[in-house]
C-alpha cells in the first residue's frame, strides 16, 4: 500500500511538473527541423512559417536543414529528438511514403510523430509542351490509349509525388506510359520542354512561371478543387474521381510531446492565418492554404499513410 501511494505521488508530481513546463513553454529557442535542402519547396515554406511563428511563441524558431535519403535522415533525427517541444519537424508526404518505398527506414510515421498542424499543400500540374503537346487531358489520354507504352513521362524520382500522381492517372484512365525519373521539378520541366517526354507533373509553384510565359501548357491540376491561379484548368478528379494528389507541408513533433505544448504550437500556427496579406503572398503561386488543426490533421494523416502506401504498391516503386 505504501509503495502504491509513493508511486501515485511520483506520477502526480511528474504530471504537475509537465503541466508547469507546458504552461511556461517556450523559454528558449525552438528548432525547426527540415529534412530537405535549403531552397527546396519544403525549406521555403518552413522558413516562412518560422519567421512568423517566432513572435507568436515569443522565442526564436530556428530552421535546421538535415537533408538526405529522400528526407529519411531528417525524419529519423526528428523521431529521436527530445519530446519537450523544442524540436518541430517539417513533415511532408515523404514521411508516410518512404516506409513503403525504401527497403528500410528507422522511424515509424504513425508511432514516432504527433501531427500538430497542416498549414499548406501544393498541387502538381499535369503539363505538356505548349508547342508540341496535346491540347487537353482528353487528347493526352486518347494518345496514350492509341499508342500504349510508346510515350514517356517525367517525375522527380521513384516514389516522388509526381511519380505517384502519374501512376494514379494511369490506373484511373487505363493507359500506359513509361516512367523516366529525374532529380526534381526543374528537370521535369526541361524534359517536357525539350520533348524528351510527353508530359510531366511538376509542382505548381515551379511550373507557374513557364505556364504564364506560354511555354508549358497546364492540362490538369491534381488538387481536389480547381486552383484560383488557373481557374480554367480542370482537376484530374473532374475526369477521374479520386485522382487527387497534393504535396503537403506540415508541422510535427516527436511522439510523447505533452498535449498542452502541441495545443500551444497548433494555436500559434492557426493564428498566423489571420494575416490575410501573408496568406495571399503564400498562395499566389498556386500553393493551397489548408490551416488544418491538430485534431482534424491527426485523422487526415492516418488516411494519408494508408493512401500513399497503396500508391507506392500500385507504382511498383522501390528504393534499396
Amino acid at each position: 500500500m505504501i509503495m502504491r501511494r509513493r508511486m501515485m505521488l511520483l506520477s502526480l508530481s511528474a504530471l504537475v511538473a509537465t503541466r508547469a513546463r507546458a504552461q511556461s513553454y517556450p523559454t528558449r529557442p525552438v528548432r525547426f527541423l527540415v529534412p530537405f535542402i535549403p531552397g527546396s519547396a519544403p525549406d521555403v515554406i518552413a522558413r516562412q512559417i518560422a519567421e512568423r511563428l517566432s513572435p507568436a511563441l515569443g522565442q526564436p524558431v530556428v530552421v535546421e536543414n538535415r537533408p538526405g535519403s529522400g528526407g529519411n535522415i531528417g525524419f529519423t533525427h526528428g523521431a529521436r529528438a527530445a519530446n519537450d517541444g523544442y524540436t518541430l519537424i517539417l513533415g511532408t508526404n515523404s514521411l508516410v511514403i518512404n516506409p513503403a518505398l525504401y527497403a528500410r527506414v528507422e522511424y515509424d510515421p504513425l508511432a514516432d510523430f504527433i501531427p500538430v498542424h497542416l498549414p499548406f499543400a501544393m498541387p502538381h500540374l499535369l503539363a505538356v509542351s505548349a508547342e508540341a503537346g496535346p491540347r487537353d487531358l482528353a487528347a493526352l489520354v486518347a494518345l496514350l490509349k492509341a499508342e500504349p507504352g510508346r510515350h514517356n513521362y517525367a517525375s522527380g524520382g521513384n516514389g516522388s509525388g509526381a511519380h505517384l500522381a502519374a501512376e494514379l492517372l494511369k490506373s484511373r484512365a487505363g493507359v500506359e506510359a513509361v516512367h523516366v525519373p529525374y532529380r526534381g521539378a526543374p528537370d521535369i520541366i526541361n524534359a517536357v520542354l525539350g520533348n524528351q517526354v510527353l508530359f510531366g507533373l511538376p509542382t505548381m509553384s515551379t511550373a507557374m512561371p513557364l505556364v504564364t510565359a506560354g511555354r508549358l501548357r497546364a492540362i490538369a491540376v491534381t488538387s481536389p478543387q480547381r486552383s484560383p491561379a488557373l481557374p480554367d484548368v480542370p482537376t484530374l478528379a473532374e475526369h477521374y474521381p479520386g485522382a487527387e494528389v497534393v504535396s503537403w507541408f506540415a508541422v510535427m513533433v516527436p511522439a510523447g510531446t505533452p498535449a498542452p505544448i502541441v495545443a500551444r504550437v497548433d494555436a500559434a500556427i492557426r493564428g498566423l492565418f489571420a494575416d490575410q496579406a501573408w496568406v495571399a503572398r503564400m498562395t499566389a503561386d498556386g500553393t493551397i492554404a489548408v490551416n488544418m488543426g491538430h485534431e482534424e490533421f491527426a485523422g487526415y494523416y492516418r488516411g494519408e499513410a494508408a493512401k500513399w502506401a497503396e500508391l507506392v504498391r500500385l507504382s511498383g516503386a522501390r528504393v534499396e
Side-chain angles (χ1 to χ4, degrees), residues 226-234:
R226 293 194 180 195
S227 171
L230 293 171
D232 296 329
V233 177

Side-chain angles (χ1 to χ4, degrees), residues 119-136:
F120 294 107
M122 189 178 295
H124 294 264
L125 283 183
L126 179 53
V128 299
S129 166
E131 293 183 358
R135 299 296 305 178
D136 54 29

Side-chain angles (χ1 to χ4, degrees), residues 124 153-156 160-167 188 201-202 245 247:
H124 294 264
Y153 74 89
S155 86
S160 65
H163 178 202
L164 298 181
E167 292 299 316
I188 296 175
L201 286 118
V245 173
S247 293

Side-chain angles (χ1 to χ4, degrees), residues 45 119-123 204-205 227-229 249 279 282-289:
I45 286 179
F120 294 107
M122 189 178 295
M204 190 167 181
S205 62
S227 171
F249 308 96
V279 173
M282 291 293 294
T283 56
D285 62 359
T287 298
I288 303 167

Side-chain angles (χ1 to χ4, degrees), residues 50-68:
E51 181 181 343
R52 286 155 182 81
L53 195 56
S54 294
L57 291 178
Q59 289 287 340
V61 177
V62 182
V63 171
E64 178 183 318
N65 297 90
R66 289 281 184 124

Side-chain angles (χ1 to χ4, degrees), residues 11 100 116 135 154 160 215 275 278 319:
S11 298
V116 177
R135 299 296 305 178
S160 65
R215 299 184 63 197
D275 185 347
W278 176 65
V319 177

Side-chain angles (χ1 to χ4, degrees), residues 13-14 17 39 78 84 102-103 113 115 134 146 149 157 165-166 170 173 187 190 193 224 244 263 270 290 315 317 319:
S13 298
D84 55 5
Y102 284 77
F113 300 92
K170 286 167 55 179
D187 290 336
N190 288 335
L193 293 176
E244 302 167 0
R270 185 182 296 110
V290 182
S315 74
V319 177

